[in-house]
Amino acid sequence: MADVLSQNEIDALLSALSTGDIEPDQIQEEEKHKIKLYDFKSPQKFSKDHIRTLELIHDNFARIISNYLTSQIRVNVKVKIQTVEQITYEEFIHSVQNPTIMTLFKMPPLTGTIQLETNDQFSFQVLDILLGGTGERKTTSSEFSEIDKNIMLNVTTGILANLKLAWEDILDVEPEVDGIETNPAINQTLAPNEPVALITFSVEMGKSNTFINLCIPYLSLEKVLDKLVVQYWFHNENGDLMEESKHKLEVGLNPVKIGISAELGETHISVDDFLKLTSGDIIKLDNKFTSPIKVYIEDQECYYAKPGILGKNMGVAILDIIDKDVNDYE
């Protein structure tokens, strides 16, 4: 992501442009030659389609848990998705403050352990409201008691249960909470360089804003990555409707009558010869009897065929399709 300039840097840049110390072309030239670094030790395992689908799923999840938290703590809560990005597990652990509430859970058919991190500001505010406060009390304790952990475990279990509804268009998942941790440093469930999808949500509760994070390892999603594509999502969602529409279309086309004709060949004769034709005369065509003939559908060339006899009737056997577009192109 590009660096964000401070106000002082913006003022200095505008001043340099106005005095002529720097030319606009210089800025464009510098921008043109910017190089984006790529770390081969941490390859991008998630494509843009995967990230986009995860964002769609968890944007829906954010709306669901907004309603859930509002009903549970009787305070207006707004949860919005902020970012979806791939980082390493080590980067995630180092970004999490200590102490925090980290709920470990599984979500079959996904494999491995997934983590929901709710920081201390969010957790203490929820605890204060649930225990009769207003949620505006300043936190004085730096550790969570066993009672705090049990209360927060109930809250996060309820939050995670809503993942089933958010994922229903992709997979039928069953969140199962394993436990809760408060020290991220001792929670080494993955290798440090293991890629993870980090989904960050902003939480507006009363007058405060805070964040919660959902960490999904790449290994958990590896077997279902083909389903994390937007086209698959909508195709899966409308699959039954498409099959029904296809059947109705076939039923509607069946009674349609179309003209089919086969051309044995061509020839040119004079008007005089044409007027002298009598029964039994033979007209020589430009096509050999061993060569394929053309079959027309409503005056359009469509097939190559071989003439023959079918019972007591004359008929043709289709040999190939005439690719008219290719022929015109050639």
Side-chain angles (χ1 to χ4, degrees):
M1 189 171 73
D3 293 334
V4 179
L5 298 179
S6 66
Q7 189 59 48
N8 290 335
E9 290 172 325
I10 294 173
D11 293 340
L13 181 60
L14 292 175
S15 176
L17 284 171
S18 61
T19 57
D21 293 339
I22 185 172
E23 296 295 330
D25 293 341
Q26 289 180 252
I27 301 175
Q28 294 177 359
E29 191 67 23
E30 290 176 5
E31 291 289 335
K32 185 188 299 183
H33 295 289
K34 277 190 175 180
I35 297 173
K36 182 179 179 181
L37 297 177
Y38 184 86
D39 186 0
F40 286 94
K41 294 180 181 179
S42 303
Q44 292 296 314
K45 297 290 188 74
F46 296 100
S47 69
K48 290 182 179 179
D49 280 335
H50 300 149
I51 296 295
R52 190 178 302 116
T53 305
L54 287 173
E55 185 175 354
L56 286 171
I57 294 170
H58 293 94
D59 182 57
N60 186 33
F61 177 62
R63 290 193 294 270
I64 295 170
I65 63 175
S66 294
N67 296 330
Y68 170 78
L69 288 171
T70 299
S71 64
Q72 289 296 307
I73 64 178
R74 300 295 190 270
V75 173
N76 188 33
V77 180
K78 295 180 182 178
V79 182
K80 295 181 181 179
I81 192 167
Q82 289 297 308
T83 59
V84 180
E85 59 181 337
Q86 176 187 318
I87 61 174
T88 63
Y89 183 66
E90 184 178 29
E91 290 173 327
F92 167 65
I93 290 297
H94 287 167
S95 67
V96 176
Q97 59 191 23
N98 183 19
T100 188
I101 295 293
M102 188 171 287
T103 308
L104 312 179
F105 68 101
K106 291 183 172 60
M107 197 164 67
L110 303 187
T111 58
T113 300
I114 306 173
Q115 302 174 27
L116 175 70
E117 187 264 331
T118 52
N119 61 42
D120 63 340
Q121 182 183 348
F122 171 85
S123 300
F124 281 121
Q125 188 173 6
V126 170
L127 287 168
D128 185 38
I129 294 171
L130 291 176
L131 295 174
T134 62
E136 298 178 2
R137 181 173 64 87
K138 296 294 183 180
T139 304
T140 56
S141 173
S142 60
E143 295 293 337
F144 291 95
S145 67
E146 291 301 319
I147 294 176
D148 293 338
K149 293 179 185 178
N150 287 330
I151 294 174
M152 285 306 300
L153 180 59
N154 289 331
V155 173
T156 56
T157 300
I159 291 174
L160 295 173
N162 291 291
L163 281 170
K164 180 177 177 63
L165 186 59
W167 277 79
E168 65 179 359
D169 291 320
I170 302 294
L171 287 172
D172 185 15
V173 298
E174 295 290 342
E176 302 171 358
V177 175
D178 286 342
I180 203 166
E181 293 286 349
T182 58
N183 186 356
I186 64 173
N187 184 38
Q188 300 296 332
T189 58
L190 291 171
N193 291 328
E194 188 65 36
V196 298
L198 180 64
I199 304 160
T200 302
F201 303 88
S202 66
V203 183
E204 182 181 335
M205 191 187 316
K207 297 180 180 179
S208 67
N209 288 280
T210 184
F211 295 92
I212 60 177
N213 296 301
L214 185 63
C215 173
I216 308 178
Y218 172 77
L219 293 176
S220 298
L221 296 169
E222 188 174 15
K223 294 182 180 179
V224 297
L225 280 180
D226 57 328
K227 298 183 179 180
L228 294 182
V229 179
V230 176
Q231 289 86 344
Y232 176 90
W233 190 3
F234 291 112
H235 174 76
N236 187 50
E237 183 180 24
N238 299 323
D240 294 339
L241 182 61
M242 290 179 65
E243 286 298 324
E244 183 181 352
S245 300
K246 182 179 178 182
H247 176 68
K248 288 181 178 179
L249 185 61
E250 290 177 351
V251 172
L253 288 175
N254 280 337
V256 177
K257 294 182 179 180
I258 56 175
I260 300 178
S261 60
E263 183 183 272
L264 297 176
E266 295 180 352
T267 191
H268 296 276
I269 61 174
S270 65
V271 175
D272 185 53
D273 289 338
F274 174 73
L275 294 174
K276 292 178 181 179
L277 285 175
T278 60
S279 178
D281 287 346
I282 297 174
I283 301 175
K284 185 177 180 181
L285 303 177
D286 61 352
N287 200 23
K288 296 182 180 179
F289 75 95
T290 56
S291 300
I293 63 174
K294 293 180 180 179
V295 177
Y296 292 78
I297 307 294
E298 297 291 345
D299 299 328
Q300 297 292 322
E301 296 179 356
C302 289
Y303 302 102
Y304 289 115
K306 180 176 70 173
I309 302 296
L310 182 62
K312 295 182 180 181
N313 301 315
M314 292 184 292
V316 295
I318 302 297
L319 300 176
D320 200 0
I321 299 174
I322 298 176
D323 195 336
K324 188 174 185 300
D325 293 335
V326 173
N327 291 338
D328 289 348
Y329 177 77
E330 293 174 348

